[in-house]
Every structure is written in structure tokens, then in C-alpha cells.
């Protein structure tokens, strides 16, 4: 993405590399990307890997790979660099230490020596008394003697940010005006006792240093916003931040049973969509509808159309429901929109091991090219291609027993015998002629086309559902079609 010189918009996408990428994370990336592109701004990709216990190099690489597969591009980030490098927080520890020291020196932060036990006891007491149960400010103004005493006891302090005793109001780009009163936003930790800086510090510090103008992120992070606004004010005073960004919180994504879609839900795993053969453009089209829409009567659109129309003010603050069926339907539409050549190429991974059950030597590209246009109109996801075309490349069809039982009724042997005769003398360069043959066989036995073609389909492909039958027969060819009908007849009469 080329950023327009002088464009004021700078947004960021800043995941933590913990576990597999999930759809909520992709939705956040998408909205930031679309916002940046719409405003010809700059998208910064930052890795928030300060939690050594949870972050891994493997998920970092998976993240990069997934974002590239989805087709995202960004202007600054790890591996491509930029004016605010490095873009991995694990490589910026000196910066955070320095900012924490400055906040301490200026009195915006203080050392808190309270043990977890003491905090718990006081919290329980406050709760019992019906008072706010957040941090009570115990260490805000310790005397030198108290500090010396705690130090002598061997306590190691955390660093806590001193919240101003004032109400914080801001206008959320999605939700409008929001107000937080001081009793709901207690002083919070920014550096652990072991010296490790926390999300509460590193995220706004980097947003400030990287000159982020708009923070678009999930609603789950809304409670950190008043803290970050207060921290920004302190950073501005210290000359570290230039201004405070605007914030927009994207709606929750709800899964089954109207519960928040969790990272642990299988349908939230991005890898699953990739393995099943969703197109990046189909998946992104669907994810864009989680909180936004192009128009009331157009569900299917390209990412260019989304970028052109995307306004953050149009995002709906209400929770969005994740609907796998709809996601598949939208993907199916995008599969249909591909040109055939593109479609055949994108199917390639599912036409070989480990997905394909046929031996590579039996794969016939001419047959594949002939059947592909018919397959394109039928698939919801690309992985379905394997089962749909296996009859073409396996020496014998894989019989699905339930399909066999359903299609092979009394009289099926007579029907198949007639169909075989008629097919024998049909014109094998025309699917229409093959259809007429089966239609005529059906008439002979008083069966409509649908009933007449079911046993033929199962005999030849092994299943009751599949690609358009007569194009399938034409592609398979006369010899194999007839010998499969013969095999089915022997099985029926055995
Ligand atoms: N690393 C944070 C997360 O993945 C980023 C939150 C934010 O956008 O501020 O939740
Ligand atoms: Zn304390």
C-alpha cells in the first residue's frame, strides 16, 4: 500500500503471537487495513510479544504467513522496517524502561509494594463494605521511611500509574461519547516486579511513538481506553506523545448459543478456513460483515469495493453473530466469480496428496480441465473438489453404502440394463445426447429423469450427489462408464 505523502491517518494492527490466528483478529486487521486504505493512510504492523510465557516464534511466523495469505499489505512492520523500527516489542525493552523511569521521576507513576495477599484482603474488605474494589491507592504517597522499611523487608515493587482524580470522557468512533468516573478506573500496574513492562504501558507508548492517529480494536479492550487516555496525557506532558489518538471499538463476535466467539471455538481458527479451502476474498468479504455492511442489498463485494466505501462511523456497535452457513454461501459466490483458469489453479492443492486418494499417475489433466467449469458452480469450499472428482481418477468409484442403498431399488437392475443399451448407442461427444439416453431408459420403465439417473450416478460416481451427471459421464468416457454400469449390475444380481 502506498501511503500518500502528508496523509495524517496512521493506524496499527498489533497482535500478540499467542496460539493460532483466529477470526476476531482477522476482522480487526481487516477493518484497520480498510480504514488505512480508504484514507490513503499508513498501516503499521506491530508485534506485541512482551509476554515471554505466552508468545512463541512459531505463532509469530504463522501470523505473518496468515496475513500474507489473506492478501493484506502494510507500510511499516517487522521484516519490512520503517521509521519507527523495530516493530517487535521484545526488541524495544530499553524504550519502555526509559519511559517508565520518566513517568516515575515526574510523579505520574509510583512504586507499589503491596503483596498480592494484602491486595486481596483489602479488596475483599472493600467489597464487603460495598466500596469500589479496585486498587485503593495505598502506595501513592509513601514516606521515605515506609519505602525503606518495605525495601528492608525484601519486597520488590511493581510500578503503578497514578490515575488523575477526574472523569474521563471521549468520543468513541463507533459508540459515540463514553464517560468513565475515577472510582471505576483505579491506578494500574505498568511494570512487573521483575522489571517486565506490561501491555498497559507498552501498547500506548508504542502508539505514541509510532504516531498512531486512530486505534481500532475489539470491544474487549474498551476498559483499557480511559487508562490509555490518561497515560497519553502524561506522555504528552513529558514530550513523548504528540497527541492522543481517536479510539473506535469494534463489536463483539458471537458464536454458537449467542456466546462470545472464543479463541478455543474450532470455528474461530483461521487455519481451519484455510485448510477447508475458503478463498481469502470470500472469507474477508464475510468477516467484513461482522459489524459493517456495504449496502442493504449487496452482500458480495470485492475488497476494493469495501475499501472505497469503508467509514468507521458506519460500524454497528451491537454484537455481530458469526454464521458459518452464511460464510460458506458467500465463499461459494466468490468461487463462482473466479475465472475458470484461476479456479483450476486454486484447486491444485486438493488434487494431490495428502488430500487426493488417487495415484498421481492416474490424474488426467484433460479430464480435470473438462470438468472444472461444472465443479466451479457447485463448491462451497475448494476442499470439496477432491470428493467431487475422485470418480474420474480412481480405477473404480468409492461406493458410499448409504448412497448405494438409497439409489438401488427394486427394478434398478432393469433400469440400468436399459440405460446401458441406450448409452451404448448415444453420441459421446454430447452431454445432451447422454441425457436423452437416460431419459429414454427412464420412460421405458415409467421413471422420471431424477429417479432414472440416481442409479446411474451411483454406479458411475459412487454417490447420490455430485457434479452435473451427463457432463460427468461425458468426461469419464464411454468405456469406463459402461464398464462401471456392468460392475454395478453384477453387484445387484449377485
Ligand atoms: N496485543 C493486543 C491484543 O492482541 C493489542 C490490543 C490493541 O489493539 O490495543 O489484544
Ligand atoms: Zn501498593
Amino acid at each position: 500500500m502506498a501511503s500518500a505523502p502528508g496523509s495524517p491517518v496512521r493506524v496499527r494492527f498489533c497482535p500478540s503471537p499467542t496460539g493460532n490466528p483466529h477470526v476476531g483478529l482477522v476482522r480487526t486487521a481487516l477493518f484497520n487495513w480498510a480504514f488505512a486504505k480508504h484514507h490513503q493512510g499508513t498501516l503499521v504492523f506491530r508485534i506485541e510479544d512482551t509476554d515471554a510465557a505466552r508468545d512463541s516464534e512459531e505463532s509469530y511466523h504463522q501470523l505473518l504467513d496468515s496475513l500474507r495469505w489473506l492478501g493484506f499489505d502494510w507500510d511499516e512492520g517487522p521484516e519490512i522496517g520503517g521509521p519507527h523500527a523495530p516493530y517487535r516489542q521484545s526488541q524495544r525493552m530499553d524504550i519502555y524502561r526509559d519511559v517508565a523511569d520518566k513517568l516515575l521521576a515526574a510523579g505520574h507513576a509510583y512504586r507499589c509494594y503491596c503483596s498480592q495477599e494484602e491486595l486481596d484482603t483489602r479488596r475483599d474488605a472493600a467489597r464487603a463494605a460495598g466500596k469500589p474494589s479496585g486498587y485503593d491507592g495505598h502506595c501513592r504517597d509513601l514516606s521515605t521511611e515506609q519505602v525503606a522499611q518495605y525495601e528492608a523487608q525484601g519486597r520488590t515493587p511493581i510500578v503503578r500509574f497514578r490515575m488523575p482524580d477526574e472523569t474521563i470522557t471521549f468520543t468513541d468512533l463507533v459508540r459515540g461519547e463514553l464517560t468513565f468516573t475515577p472510582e471505576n478506573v483505579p491506578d494500574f500496574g505498568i511494570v512487573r516486579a521483575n522489571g517486565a513492562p506490561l501491555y498497559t504501558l507498552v501498547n500506548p507508548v508504542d502508539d505514541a511513538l509510532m504516531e498512531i492517529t486512530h486505534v481500532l480494536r475489539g470491544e474487549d479492550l474498551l476498559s483499557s481506553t480511559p487508562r490509555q487516555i490518561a497515560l497519553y496525557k502524561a506522555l504528552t506532558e513529558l514530550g513523548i506523545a504528540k497527541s492522543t489518538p481517536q479510539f473506535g471499538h469494534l463489536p463483539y463476535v458471537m458464536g454458537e448459543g449467542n456466546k462470545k466467539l472464543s479463541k478455543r471455538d474450532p470455528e474461530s481458527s483461521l487455519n481451519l478456513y484455510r485448510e477447508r479451502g475458503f478463498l481469502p476474498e470470500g472469507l474477508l468479504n464475510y468477516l467484513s460483515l461482522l459489524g459493517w455492511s456495504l449496502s442493504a442489498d449487496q452482500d458480495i463485494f470485492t475488497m476494493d469495493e469495501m475499501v472505497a466505501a469503508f467509514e468507521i462511523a458506519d460500524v454497528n456497535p451491537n454484537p455481530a453473530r458469526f454464521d458459518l452457513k452464511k460464510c460458506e454461501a458467500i465463499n461459494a459466490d466468490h468461487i463462482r466469480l473466479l475465472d475458470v483458469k484461476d479456479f483450476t489453479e486454486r484447486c491444485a492443492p486438493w488434487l494431490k496428496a495428502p488430500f487426493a486418494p488417487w495415484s498421481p499417475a492416474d490424474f488426467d489433466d484433460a479430464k480435470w480441465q473438462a470438468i472444472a467449469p461444472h465443479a466451479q458452480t457447485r463448491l462451497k469450499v475448494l476442499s470439496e473438489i477432491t470428493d467431487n472428482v475422485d470418480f474420474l481418477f480412481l480405477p473404480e468409484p468409492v461406493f458410499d453404502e448409504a448412497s448405494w442403498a438409497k439409489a438401488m431399488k427394486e427394478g434398478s437392475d432393469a433400469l440400468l440394463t436399459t440405460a446401458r443399451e441406450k448409452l451404448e448407442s448415444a453420441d459421446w461427444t454430447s452431454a445432451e445426447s447422454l441425457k436423452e439416453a437416460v431419459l429414454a431408459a427412464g420412460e421405458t420403465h415409467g421413471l422420471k429423469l431424477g429417479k432414472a439417473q440416481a442409479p446411474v450416478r451411483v454406479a458411475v460416481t459412487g454417490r447420490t450427489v455430485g457434479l452435473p451427471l451427463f457432463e460427468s459421464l461425458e468426461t469419464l468416457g464411454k468405456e469406463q462408464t459402461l464398464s462401471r454400469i456392468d460392475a454395478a449390475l453384477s453387484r445387484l444380481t449377485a
Side-chain angles (χ1 to χ4, degrees):
M1 178 171 61
S3 56
S7 166
V9 167
R10 288 180 60 84
V11 293
R12 74 340 183 236
F13 173 56
C14 54
S16 301
T18 56
N20 296 333
H22 58 99
V23 294
L25 180 148
V26 176
R27 198 267 314 253
T28 300
L30 172 62
F31 283 27
N32 277 285
W33 176 84
F35 183 83
K37 286 217 154 193
H38 180 82
H39 293 282
Q40 294 169 302
T42 298
L43 178 60
V44 176
F45 180 33
R46 180 173 79 224
I47 296 287
E48 304 215 315
D49 56 349
T50 53
D51 188 345
R54 295 176 62 229
D55 302 327
S56 79
E57 218 35 36
E58 191 196 339
S59 44
Y60 164 66
H61 288 292
Q62 241 194 41
L63 251 173
L64 281 185
D65 181 53
S66 302
L67 293 172
R68 296 218 172 98
W69 173 72
L70 287 161
F72 289 129
D73 50 358
W74 48 90
D75 305 287
E76 300 173 21
E79 302 189 340
I80 62 169
H84 303 285
Y87 292 90
R88 292 187 69 171
Q89 291 187 326
S90 56
Q91 297 165 358
R92 300 170 62 81
M93 291 300 183
D94 293 348
I95 297 175
Y96 311 131
R97 217 162 288 137
D98 180 55
V99 174
D101 286 346
K102 286 182 172 143
L103 288 168
L104 278 167
H108 287 301
Y110 58 91
R111 294 193 171 84
C112 166
Y113 290 88
C114 300
S115 69
Q116 194 55 51
E117 234 176 6
E118 289 163 343
L119 292 172
D120 291 346
T121 310
R122 296 200 317 259
R123 178 195 297 122
D124 293 347
R127 263 200 200 127
K131 294 204 195 117
S133 56
Y135 184 70
D136 56 5
H138 179 272
C139 302
R140 271 189 157 203
D141 302 296
L142 294 179
S143 65
T144 328
E145 293 75 43
Q146 280 170 308
V147 170
Q149 203 178 10
Y150 282 141
E151 295 277 350
Q153 290 169 0
R155 298 193 185 213
T156 46
I158 67 159
V159 178
R160 226 178 247 287
F161 184 76
R162 187 190 304 269
M163 282 296 292
D165 293 311
E166 60 194 33
T167 294
I168 292 179
T169 297
F170 70 97
T171 304
D172 188 280
L173 296 165
V174 175
R175 275 144 228 280
E177 192 174 285
L178 299 173
T179 296
F180 294 82
T181 52
E183 61 273 21
N184 291 314
V185 194
D187 296 351
F188 55 95
I190 55 175
V191 180
R192 281 189 220 274
N194 67 5
L198 292 162
Y199 163 80
T200 49
L201 177 70
V202 299
N203 177 278
V205 164
D206 279 347
D207 284 348
L209 294 175
M210 296 179 181
E211 298 176 37
I212 298 304
T213 57
H214 298 77
V215 169
L216 311 180
R217 61 184 171 195
E219 183 174 353
D220 51 321
L221 290 155
L222 185 56
S223 63
S224 63
T225 303
R227 302 171 182 192
Q228 295 186 351
I229 287 174
L231 186 58
Y232 253 98
K233 209 171 152 193
L235 294 177
T236 307
E237 204 184 289
L238 295 171
I240 296 167
K242 288 191 180 147
S243 60
T244 302
Q246 290 185 271
F247 293 86
H249 292 87
L250 311 176
Y252 283 122
V253 179
M254 312 305 275
E256 282 300 312
N258 224 27
K259 285 208 305 274
K260 248 174 72 188
L261 192 63
S262 124
K263 260 181 149 172
R264 285 170 294 279
D265 291 326
E267 71 266 36
S268 78
S269 156
L270 178 67
N271 290 343
L272 178 102
Y273 295 87
R274 209 169 155 178
E275 280 156 22
R276 286 192 62 207
F278 277 77
L279 304 181
E281 58 266 53
L283 186 60
L284 290 179
N285 183 162
Y286 179 68
L287 295 180
S288 76
L289 298 174
L290 297 175
W292 183 80
S293 65
L294 182 72
S295 74
D297 54 7
Q298 193 186 343
D299 270 353
I300 309 297
F301 43 84
T302 65
M303 285 301 104
D304 284 346
E305 287 174 288
M306 179 191 181
V307 164
F310 188 77
E311 298 290 352
I312 189 71
D314 293 340
V315 172
N316 185 335
N318 298 322
R321 200 171 77 81
F322 188 87
D323 178 347
L324 187 56
K325 286 254 164 351
K326 177 146 190 198
C327 185
E328 288 174 346
I330 286 185
N331 195 63
D333 279 326
H334 278 275
I335 289 180
R336 271 176 219 118
L337 286 171
L338 298 174
D339 74 56
V340 186
K341 187 166 174 291
D342 193 5
F343 170 73
T344 56
E345 285 165 8
R346 296 219 213 183
C347 286
W350 288 279
L351 296 173
K352 46 187 194 226
F355 304 104
W358 55 83
S359 90
D362 289 338
F363 180 75
D364 179 333
D365 193 57
K367 284 185 177 162
W368 164 234
Q369 300 295 337
I371 205 73
H374 305 290
Q376 191 178 355
T377 61
R378 296 294 175 104
L379 304 187
K380 295 196 293 292
V381 293
L382 296 176
S383 62
E384 290 169 351
I385 195 61
T386 321
D387 283 355
N388 272 286
V389 300
D390 63 356
F391 73 96
L392 288 173
F393 311 122
L394 287 168
E396 280 163 31
V398 188
F399 286 111
D400 164 50
E401 291 307 325
S403 291
W404 179 275
K406 199 169 152 202
M408 301 301 183
K409 304 231 160 67
E410 223 188 290
S412 289
D413 51 345
L415 181 273
L416 279 175
T417 307
T418 315
R420 192 201 186 287
E421 273 164 28
K422 308 260 181 211
L423 284 168
E424 171 113 61
S425 56
D427 171 8
W428 277 81
T429 63
S430 147
E432 193 51 38
S433 166
L434 304 182
K435 179 179 172 182
E436 273 157 22
V438 174
L439 192 66
E443 269 163 17
T444 311
H445 298 276
L447 295 172
K448 293 226 167 70
L449 182 64
K451 287 257 186 304
Q453 71 178 23
V456 177
R457 182 188 284 283
V458 172
V460 176
T461 72
R463 300 186 185 85
T464 42
V465 286
L467 303 184
L469 179 62
F470 305 106
E471 283 78 2
S472 297
L473 301 185
E474 185 188 1
T475 307
L476 183 65
K478 182 174 182 178
E479 195 189 322
Q480 283 205 68
T481 299
L482 297 185
S483 79
R484 286 181 186 190
I485 293 176
D486 289 340
L489 278 167
S490 346
R491 187 174 163 184
L492 275 174
T493 48

